[in-house]
Amino acid sequence: MRRHRRAGAGGIALLLAGAGILAAAGPAGAAETAYRTECIPPPISGLPAVQGTTRAAVTAPATAKVGDEVEIVWRTVEAASKNPDVLDLDKDTVRPTGTIKVGGAQSGELKVRGPRQNPPLPKNSPMKLPDMKGTLKLEKPGEVTLAPGAYTINVSKPISTDTKCAPKEEVRPAATIKVTDGGGSSGGTAGGSTGGSGTGGGDTGGSTGATTSGGSTTGSSGGSTTGGSSGGGDSDGTSHEGKVVQVAYACKTPIGDRKATSPVQINAVKKGGGHGLTVKFAKSVMDSPADIPAGAVKPSMEVRVGGADKGTVKAEGPANKEPVKAGQPIAIPDLKGTYTPGATGKATLTPGVLTVRALGTTTTCTPEKDPGVSLALDTTAQQGGTGGTTAGGTGTTGDTTAGSAAGPASAGGTSGGLAETGADDHGTLRALALVAGTVVLLGGAVFTLTPWRRLGR
């Protein structure tokens, strides 16, 4: 739902924002502009760049005074790309962020941000984006122009991905503010509200602000840090979103060796001196060739800690709550654990050995090569740190690693210390031995890593 702030014909609307005052100075006006745009889909999609046209309207007060802090609204009339033919997007899974170029009497950039808010978006349908908002502090008299520019579309499910769109031509300003030298309000922040809270992972409801050549920026950017890294001094509850990495697994199963590749993402939330970790797999399908009772399948992972810190953190997922009939898919649950830093500096978190226990068997999947860091965190050493606890118990601590959790598998597909693989019922395993294409037998269930293009179909 769009809301436009309009001051009365003879009045001024004032909003308290922290220590500063937001002044909607003069009636607000909106103008539209269009520009050629290139959108780069997330690498994991395998889709080519999209060339299109962005149509956007910018709403700003027509007049204001130096020192005023005014709200700027970017409304995307038409995004340059549609929701591609990959998967239907659920309600409230899309969040846009963008940059408005500030010109004329004042130069710089204004960061704007929208809520995670959208209707359900079927495949091949227009990308409907919520309004993005930011707050600009006016610092010089004259005409200040506002031109929409680059923007990013984040989709939170099945995993967090970004489509980045950038102008391919000079963008005509969509709004102009006539600023007079009135010695307006001083102090306060240049950070605007996000315009709503998100429902997907990595949303912290932070604020966005302006960066101009006339003064310092005091607004902070909300949400997760781009590139899978975090800043120091985070308060409890701060979320950090890791990047998706492709993990090529070599699996030791009771019926032989298998290989599969899956996109994996590690996210973190600040909790006291440590971080609560969540390991997410891309939406995959585990097709069961036989009836699986409730509580029979339970996954876990040894997350590798590197950089300034060393060791592993065990993250576990819950067992399947409901029985699964033959042929039905089994979703991979989020794996959770707690990382307590053992060193001060920048620590890295990388997907490690994946273990799945099912129907009395244990299958161990080890990365064939280093998949790369998913998340980096600025840490402060804590007593008894490095390692952590899982949702259900105590994990590995210190520099001790389980098997080859600290590194990829050897070329021969073997590594020391792997969990024992075996089964009490070999007849059951033979009955479940359906191995084809990208199907991997994990204990008693078949783990199908569906190609990204087919996710959600």
Side-chain angles (χ1 to χ4, degrees):
M1 181 180 295
R2 301 187 183 98
R3 300 182 201 170
H4 298 283
R5 302 185 192 275
R6 298 185 181 275
I12 298 177
L14 297 179
L15 292 175
L16 293 179
I21 298 179
L22 296 180
E32 187 178 306
T33 189
Y35 52 98
R36 289 186 292 108
T37 309
E38 180 179 65
C39 293
I40 308 297
I44 194 173
S45 71
L47 298 174
V50 175
Q51 308 298 324
T53 299
T54 299
R55 293 175 56 223
V58 175
T59 301
T63 60
K65 296 179 180 180
V66 172
D68 286 350
E69 293 178 1
V70 294
E71 182 180 69
I72 310 298
V73 180
W74 169 334
R75 178 171 64 89
T76 304
V77 179
E78 181 181 351
S81 64
K82 295 182 178 182
N83 179 27
D85 184 22
V86 177
L87 61 123
D88 298 332
L89 299 180
D90 294 338
K91 183 178 183 292
D92 296 342
T93 58
V94 176
R95 161 171 278 173
T97 55
T99 302
I100 293 177
K101 181 180 179 181
V102 182
Q106 185 171 327
S107 62
E109 290 185 339
L110 173 66
K111 302 296 184 182
V112 291
R113 180 181 174 91
R116 194 172 294 283
Q117 186 179 84
N118 62 277
L121 299 174
K123 294 186 288 288
N124 290 321
S125 67
M127 185 66 73
K128 298 180 181 179
L129 304 176
D131 291 352
M132 296 180 280
K133 298 180 181 181
T135 301
L136 176 66
K137 184 171 183 178
L138 302 172
E139 298 166 346
K140 296 181 180 179
E143 291 192 346
V144 175
T145 60
L146 303 169
Y151 57 98
T152 297
I153 303 171
N154 175 264
V155 177
S156 62
K157 295 180 180 179
I159 60 172
S160 180
T161 58
D162 288 332
T163 295
K164 299 183 178 181
C165 301
K168 300 302 288 183
E169 63 179 334
E170 189 70 22
V171 182
R172 176 175 56 86
T176 300
I177 306 173
K178 293 184 179 180
V179 183
T180 58
D181 190 0
S185 60
S186 60
T189 66
S193 66
T194 64
S197 61
T199 59
D203 301 320
T204 60
S207 59
T208 58
T211 303
T212 66
S213 60
S216 61
T217 300
T218 55
S220 62
S221 63
S224 62
T225 306
T226 303
S229 63
S230 74
D234 297 324
S235 59
D236 273 13
T238 301
S239 298
H240 301 291
E241 192 172 278
K243 67 179 181 180
V244 178
V245 294
Q246 299 289 332
V247 185
Y249 282 114
C251 298
K252 291 282 187 181
T253 82
I255 64 167
D257 296 346
R258 302 288 181 263
K259 293 185 179 182
T261 299
S262 179
V264 180
Q265 181 184 38
I266 301 174
N267 299 328
V269 177
K270 187 74 163 61
K271 294 170 59 177
H275 292 81
L277 303 185
T278 301
V279 181
K280 291 179 173 289
F281 285 77
K283 184 178 180 181
S284 301
V285 178
M286 291 192 295
D287 292 328
S288 176
D291 291 347
I292 301 290
V297 180
K298 187 173 178 62
S300 64
M301 176 185 283
E302 297 288 342
V303 177
R304 292 164 45 203
V305 181
D309 206 354
K310 304 297 178 186
T312 61
V313 177
K314 188 174 184 179
E316 291 184 331
N320 57 309
K321 294 182 179 179
E322 302 294 334
V324 182
K325 295 294 184 181
Q328 288 185 343
I330 307 173
I332 304 174
D334 291 348
L335 312 181
K336 296 183 178 293
T338 300
Y339 166 51
T340 304
T344 299
K346 188 174 288 294
T348 60
L349 301 174
T350 303
V353 172
L354 171 68
T355 301
V356 178
R357 292 178 173 83
L359 296 180
T361 71
T362 300
T363 292
T364 304
C365 298
T366 304
E368 289 189 293
K369 59 182 179 181
D370 187 352
V373 173
S374 175
L375 182 64
L377 297 169
D378 289 332
T379 61
T380 301
Q382 304 293 315
Q383 185 175 4
T386 307
T389 59
T390 66
T394 304
T396 311
T397 59
D399 288 325
T400 303
T401 58
S404 57
S410 65
T414 61
S415 56
L418 292 177
E420 182 178 350
T421 299
D424 297 329
D425 186 352
H426 294 282
T428 300
L429 290 174
R430 293 191 192 96
L432 298 178
L434 303 178
V435 181
T438 55
V439 178
V440 177
L441 185 70
L442 295 184
V446 175
F447 180 16
T448 305
L449 296 177
T450 304
W452 185 259
R453 292 178 182 271
R454 299 187 59 195
L455 294 184
R457 291 190 181 181

